[in-house]
Amino acid sequence: MAPKPANATDEYIVCYAPTMITTNGIWQGDNPLDYSLPLFILQLSLVVAATRIFVFILKPFRQPRVISEVLGGVLLGPSVLGKSTAFANAVFPLRSVMVIETMANVGLLYFLFLVGVEMDISVLRSVGKKAVAAAISGMILPFMIGAAFSYLLHREYDNHMSQGTYILFLGVALSVTAFPVLARILAELKLINTELGRIALSAALINDVCAWILLAFAITLADSETTSLASLWVLLSSVVFVAFCVYAVRPAASWIVRKTPEGESFSEFYISLILAGVMISGFITDAIGTHSVFGAFVFGLAIPNGPLGVTLVEKLEDFVSGLLLPLFFAISGLKTNIGLVRGTYTWSILILVIFLACIGKIAGTLIVAFFYQMPIREGATLGLLMNTKGLVEMIVLNVGKDQKVFDDESFAIMVIITVLMTAIIVPSISVIYKPSRRSTYYKRRTVQMSKPDGEFRILVCIHSPRNVPTMINFLEASNPTKKSPICVYVLHLVELSGRTSAMLIVHNSRKPDYPALNRTEAQSDHIINAFENYEQHASFVSVQPLTAISPYSTMHDDICNLAEDKRVSLIIVPFHKQQTVDGGMEATNMAFRGINQNVLANAPCSVGILVDRNLSGSNRLASNQVSHHVAILFFGGPDDREALCYGWRMLEHPGISLTVMRFVPGKLVASDHAKKHSSIDLDEPRVLTVETDKNMQKQLDEKLIHEFRMRNENDDSVDYVEKVVNNGEETVAAIRTMDDIHDLFIVGRGQGMISPLTAGITDWSECPEIGAIGDLLASSDFAATASVLVVQQYVGVGSNGEGMDTPESKVQTNEEFISELSQHSAPPPRGGHNVFNTERL
């Protein structure tokens, strides 16, 4: 490298040897870092590793991924590791900048193409006046603040750059709102389905579109320093390019969709053509004077939503988002030298700009909030949300630096502003805005307490279309009648991850006639269509489909809040294991297990975990086609009573036959109990409470069983059996003797009930969340391959947070159970002959 003459000391000539791409190997004495390919691979690996480290560190603080990506670059750049000359010259030498910047821009090109593909401009047609007002006021004030401060930040070296261009770049950088980042923040904060969330998203979408137009203007003005005529040509050429995409590219893409039969994959030729088209669009817009990313974005917008968009996103997303895009943010970080931001004056200006830019957005939205009579806190929260920064701003800053609008110090200041303004959003909103979650009071929180002549509300959770057939058959077996119709809330659970499409988050309450934007949304459509089809064919069933987009760690909050809002009596969640071809059980996703455990611990009503072993034997949807043999294993306690009540409800269905097997403790258990009882000091209050509760539970069991037998003694589809057993071994043996005709077992979870009849079974229980008996029935080595519903009855506010209900907590609700059992009669008998017998094992 030879320096240029003295008058250009800040620029260098880089000698580049075209043969130095790949190395001959360290055994030949070569240093791999002297060659461009091994060096690029190392740089890419370091960038991805640094980004992932920050993602992991910032995850508990719920910070968006864009912050981790920028900080990863800052860590590798001259601010931290790059301070070491040895590290900087070895890993990020000047000669490698061209390669890494080129690849970063290729990644950016394809990422913005994907953003265009996933974005649905038609949403803008239905945006309300409130969102439009919030978007405009949220842009104008920060832009004006940027313009005012441009005089303080504008340096003397910028003589060749007009003040107008500088104002435009600074204003766009401060006033833009990052739509994809905002969508994730709203989903994290559980505000996505609120009125505030919808206004914020609509305003951000308008803001994003305005930002793209302003960016195109800014680049045009920065490029054409000499004549205004050149700027005019750039703008006209850009308009022609947009028109070409709308009137030529979009019809061609629609023709490809029509030519490909539904359900078949698109030809590789068409896909390759589109991917090449992204490059060509980038080349054209770069040639006419706007940035190449503008071309890729507009080309992406021209691709119609639907199967073609889904295919393109699937093929590109992981590679582009996971590998190439972090390179662009890392480049921004590598260009940022925080050490250049020196002096009290500069830092004061920096803090003031951040403060005033935030205040500008908040003031703008507060004016709108005042005008539309929104609460002040909501207006301030909306203003904070509109401060979200992301990709567009980083593009503005990078283009500004390339066009010499920003010097190194200004660039570093703007990067710090971007990171800090986005980082303070989640903590600030958590403090100032807590949506009032009113605690809904309702009585019918269990199946047992549900009115036999009232609407029965169930919340069904679905992870994938595989759960759908079993859930539909189960709902049909639950006996919807004119007297007691079933209202089903179907909740599709979608993980909020780094690759969740922002438009999916926006569209989660969209109309089903919109085309799907990606595979997750296509799955959602499939689930909704299946349940709506069931609703049309079945009688006395209403279905309301919903989508919950959340991180798995907090998904139970969405489930429990929805259950309380909709006043449901039962939540049904799928078991985390599914049946394999050979009849075994394998885990689909261990995160599902965590969701189930959290729902059991926090649910405001009863919960059922459904272990699916192909209950969908009857695929005909007409109600008279369903035929199931159901077995209930009754040991006693609230959960078992809930299981019996659910089976009792099913019994009303003409296609259901029911076997109730009650396990009764034998003489050995009774004598052991008498010995223990004699050695206990009954004067101790806790012991007395436990004993009282045991007696009360026994009374409730006897009362329910007696009522069940009385009402169904003439019903030939009911088989009641009592098994006398003394320990866990005899219990298992008794269950194994049952006929294999049953295709559904309903059992209680048995939490808080310590029974000698299940002693020993609990010790080798693999999944405690479905109880000892549920785990036995769901295990791979159990001969029967019937589906299992494990029920936990809601017991009031006495739960201890782990889903383990102490005997004391049940005392609080038992009087209510006793008084209400007599009021809520079960379904009337159907006539016929019933078999009642008692067996001793």
Side-chain angles (χ1 to χ4, degrees):
M1 274 188 293
K4 273 193 173 183
N7 61 347
T9 48
D10 59 332
E11 293 182 17
Y12 296 91
I13 296 170
V14 177
C15 301
Y16 177 73
T19 52
M20 293 183 72
I21 306 294
T22 54
T23 174
N24 294 318
I26 53 173
W27 309 119
Q28 301 278 358
D30 284 352
N31 178 1
L33 298 184
D34 291 339
Y35 295 81
S36 56
L37 182 63
L39 182 60
F40 174 71
I41 292 168
L42 177 67
Q43 289 169 338
L44 186 57
S45 306
L46 282 173
V47 165
V48 172
T51 301
R52 286 286 137 199
I53 289 166
F54 276 109
V55 167
F56 178 75
I57 292 168
L58 296 176
K59 196 172 184 181
F61 304 102
R62 300 196 290 185
Q63 292 296 337
R65 188 169 140 184
V66 63
I67 291 178
S68 305
E69 286 167 338
V70 175
L71 289 178
V74 171
L75 175 73
L76 297 171
S79 303
V80 187
L81 294 176
K83 276 185 176 177
S84 160
T85 315
F87 176 84
N89 290 338
V91 181
F92 291 100
L94 203 58
R95 61 187 166 80
S96 72
V97 169
M98 188 176 75
V99 177
I100 194 169
E101 285 225 27
T102 304
M103 285 307 295
N105 278 292
V106 168
L108 184 64
L109 206 68
Y110 277 103
F111 182 77
L112 279 155
F113 165 68
L114 288 179
V115 169
V117 169
E118 290 189 331
M119 192 171 275
D120 186 2
I121 295 292
S122 62
V123 172
L124 291 174
R125 292 177 202 155
S126 57
V127 167
K129 290 178 184 175
K130 208 185 286 186
V132 175
I136 293 168
S137 62
M139 279 194 86
I140 291 170
L141 274 169
F143 199 96
M144 288 162 66
I145 289 165
F149 273 89
S150 64
Y151 293 96
L152 289 170
L153 294 171
H154 203 194
R155 295 283 177 246
E156 289 303 317
Y157 85 102
D158 278 321
N159 291 335
H160 71 282
M161 184 60 58
S162 71
Q163 187 72 25
T165 308
Y166 190 80
I167 288 171
L168 193 56
F169 268 92
L170 196 62
V172 171
L174 288 175
S175 62
V176 71
T177 299
F179 170 73
V181 180
L182 177 67
R184 281 174 183 77
I185 286 176
L186 285 170
E188 280 275 5
L189 291 168
K190 311 283 183 201
L191 296 175
I192 201 78
N193 288 317
T194 62
E195 178 66 17
L196 180 71
R198 282 188 279 272
I199 293 169
L201 278 174
S202 303
L205 193 58
I206 296 164
N207 200 308
D208 230 15
V209 173
C210 293
W212 277 106
I213 296 164
L214 286 171
L215 176 61
F217 268 114
I219 294 167
T220 306
L221 289 169
D223 277 344
S224 49
E225 302 148 12
T226 49
T227 60
S228 55
L229 188 66
S231 301
L232 186 65
W233 279 115
V234 171
L235 285 174
L236 286 172
S237 309
S238 302
V239 170
V240 170
F241 174 75
V242 171
F244 174 77
C245 285
V246 172
Y247 296 108
V249 175
R250 195 171 181 85
S254 302
W255 177 81
I256 291 171
V257 174
R258 285 196 305 275
K259 199 165 184 284
T260 306
E262 196 174 339
E264 286 193 21
S265 57
F266 289 91
S267 158
E268 288 297 315
F269 172 72
Y270 294 140
I271 299 295
S272 304
L273 207 63
I274 291 167
L275 296 183
V278 178
M279 290 289 192
I280 294 164
S281 301
F283 173 78
I284 291 168
T285 47
D286 210 53
I288 63 179
T290 47
H291 201 281
S292 55
V293 295
F294 180 74
F297 178 69
V298 173
F299 189 76
L301 283 176
I303 304 294
N305 294 326
L308 182 59
V310 172
T311 307
L312 289 165
V313 170
E314 280 179 359
K315 286 186 182 294
L316 289 174
E317 184 150 37
D318 283 335
F319 180 70
V320 173
S321 301
L323 207 61
L324 295 182
L325 188 66
L327 264 184
F328 174 73
F329 287 107
I331 285 290
S332 305
L334 286 166
K335 290 177 185 173
T336 307
N337 188 352
I338 296 169
L340 291 174
V341 185
R342 287 189 296 265
T344 319
Y345 174 76
T346 311
W347 279 104
S348 307
I349 294 292
L350 174 70
I351 292 161
L352 196 60
V353 170
I354 293 173
F355 179 72
L356 286 175
C358 283
I359 292 297
K361 288 264 188 192
I362 293 167
T365 49
L366 276 175
I367 293 165
V368 175
F370 181 74
F371 185 76
Y372 285 100
Q373 296 177 333
M374 287 166 65
I376 296 294
R377 281 195 175 195
E378 280 196 16
T381 305
L382 183 58
L384 275 169
L385 288 167
M386 298 301 283
N387 276 307
T388 309
K389 306 293 177 197
L391 189 66
V392 178
E393 182 172 18
M394 294 312 295
I395 295 168
V396 171
L397 298 182
N398 276 282
V399 171
K401 190 169 190 303
D402 293 343
Q403 302 289 350
K404 303 282 190 298
V405 177
F406 299 123
D407 66 341
D408 288 345
E409 187 183 353
S410 297
F411 182 80
I413 288 171
M414 293 306 295
V415 170
I416 295 168
I417 288 172
T418 302
V419 172
L420 290 179
M421 282 176 76
T422 308
I424 60 173
I425 291 168
V426 176
S428 304
I429 290 174
S430 303
V431 171
I432 69 162
Y433 184 71
K434 288 174 183 169
S436 54
R437 268 219 54 79
R438 66 189 189 286
S439 183
T440 312
Y441 174 76
Y442 67 103
K443 239 178 184 180
R444 321 280 169 215
R445 292 175 185 262
T446 67
V447 179
Q448 191 174 5
M449 290 297 122
S450 298
K451 279 186 174 179
D453 56 349
E455 185 182 54
F456 182 50
R457 297 186 179 192
I458 305 179
L459 173 60
V460 171
C461 299
I462 303 284
H463 289 296
S464 71
R466 180 168 178 162
N467 306 138
V468 172
T470 294
M471 286 294 187
I472 286 178
N473 277 275
F474 177 76
L475 289 169
E476 184 51 55
S478 300
N479 189 35
T481 61
K482 187 176 182 180
K483 194 170 69 171
S484 179
I486 294 180
C487 178
V488 186
Y489 298 95
V490 180
L491 188 64
H492 181 207
L493 307 177
V494 179
E495 183 191 12
L496 178 73
S497 61
R499 58 171 296 180
T500 307
S501 155
M503 289 310 293
L504 167 62
I505 297 170
V506 180
H507 277 73
N508 75 33
S509 56
R510 70 197 172 89
K511 298 183 184 75
D513 54 339
Y514 273 72
L517 296 168
N518 52 36
R519 181 177 285 280
T520 311
E521 197 157 314
Q523 278 196 348
S524 225
D525 284 354
H526 179 85
I527 291 162
I528 290 166
N529 292 338
F531 275 97
E532 285 180 347
N533 186 35
Y534 162 61
E535 183 182 21
Q536 288 165 13
H537 289 81
S539 305
F540 315 116
V541 176
S542 62
V543 174
Q544 290 193 31
L546 300 149
T547 306
I549 300 175
S550 260
Y552 282 143
S553 56
T554 60
M555 198 167 268
H556 64 279
D557 288 337
D558 293 328
I559 297 168
C560 296
N561 291 343
L562 183 67
E564 190 155 17
D565 287 343
K566 303 298 183 185
R567 297 167 179 258
V568 302
S569 300
L570 182 68
I571 299 170
I572 297 177
V573 289
F575 190 46
H576 70 278
K577 291 184 181 180
Q578 62 186 24
Q579 194 172 26
T580 54
V581 180
D582 60 355
M585 297 294 285
E586 68 171 8
T588 47
N589 187 336
M590 288 310 287
F592 297 169
R593 184 181 184 186
I595 294 169
N596 293 354
Q597 289 168 334
N598 287 331
V599 168
L600 285 167
N602 299 289
C605 59
S606 293
V607 181
I609 297 180
L610 186 61
V611 182
D612 177 14
R613 280 196 174 129
N614 197 25
L615 185 64
S616 50
S618 166
N619 291 319
R620 298 284 297 278
L621 290 171
S623 58
N624 57 0
Q625 296 291 327
V626 175
S627 174
H628 294 299
H629 294 274
V630 181
I632 295 171
L633 307 181
F634 191 92
F635 292 85
D639 297 348
D640 284 24
R641 290 196 295 274
E642 190 78 346
L644 180 58
C645 289
Y646 203 91
W648 199 344
R649 182 186 172 91
M650 285 181 158
L651 186 55
E652 266 282 271
H653 196 289
I656 300 291
S657 58
L658 182 67
T659 301
V660 178
M661 182 179 278
R662 187 184 184 190
F663 292 82
V664 182
K667 287 179 181 175
L668 286 173
V669 177
S671 63
D672 285 351
H673 181 69
K675 284 176 191 171
K676 282 180 187 173
H677 197 269
S678 61
S679 64
I680 288 171
D681 179 12
L682 286 174
D683 293 334
E684 195 181 327
R686 178 175 170 80
V687 173
L688 188 62
T689 306
V690 172
E691 284 302 312
T692 308
D693 183 62
K694 277 183 181 173
N695 294 333
M696 203 176 278
Q697 295 293 346
K698 204 169 179 184
Q699 285 174 33
L700 290 164
D701 293 343
E702 293 296 341
K703 186 176 177 66
L704 187 64
I705 288 286
H706 176 72
E707 192 175 352
F708 174 77
R709 292 181 68 172
M710 289 293 290
R711 287 181 178 274
N712 296 291
E713 61 184 344
N714 296 320
D715 193 338
D716 58 356
S717 61
V718 179
D719 190 5
Y720 178 85
V721 181
E722 285 190 356
K723 292 276 186 185
V724 181
V725 291
N726 290 300
N727 52 43
E729 284 180 29
E730 291 183 5
T731 301
V732 174
I735 294 170
R736 289 188 188 277
T737 60
M738 293 186 77
D739 297 332
D740 56 4
I741 59 162
H742 301 107
D743 48 11
L744 176 65
F745 281 93
I746 304 179
V747 296
R749 185 180 174 219
Q751 272 313 83
M753 300 299 294
I754 301 160
S755 170
L757 307 188
T758 55
I761 305 175
T762 318
D763 298 343
W764 47 267
S765 180
E766 196 181 329
C767 302
E769 69 269 21
I770 55 171
I773 302 301
D775 189 76
L776 171 73
L777 294 169
S779 62
S780 302
D781 57 346
F782 190 68
T785 54
S787 296
V788 184
L789 177 70
V790 181
V791 183
Q792 173 184 282
Q793 188 177 62
Y794 174 73
V795 293
V797 291
S799 299
N800 63 6
E802 294 178 0
M804 299 284 287
D805 302 318
T806 58
E808 290 87 346
S809 67
K810 297 216 166 55
V811 174
Q812 298 167 3
T813 56
N814 280 331
E815 279 102 8
E816 186 186 348
F817 282 160
I818 290 172
S819 63
E820 295 219 2
L821 261 172
S822 54
Q823 295 171 28
H824 303 297
S825 58
R830 279 190 295 172
H833 177 66
N834 182 33
V835 180
F836 290 110
N837 59 21
T838 305
E839 293 182 15
R840 181 176 179 79
L841 203 68

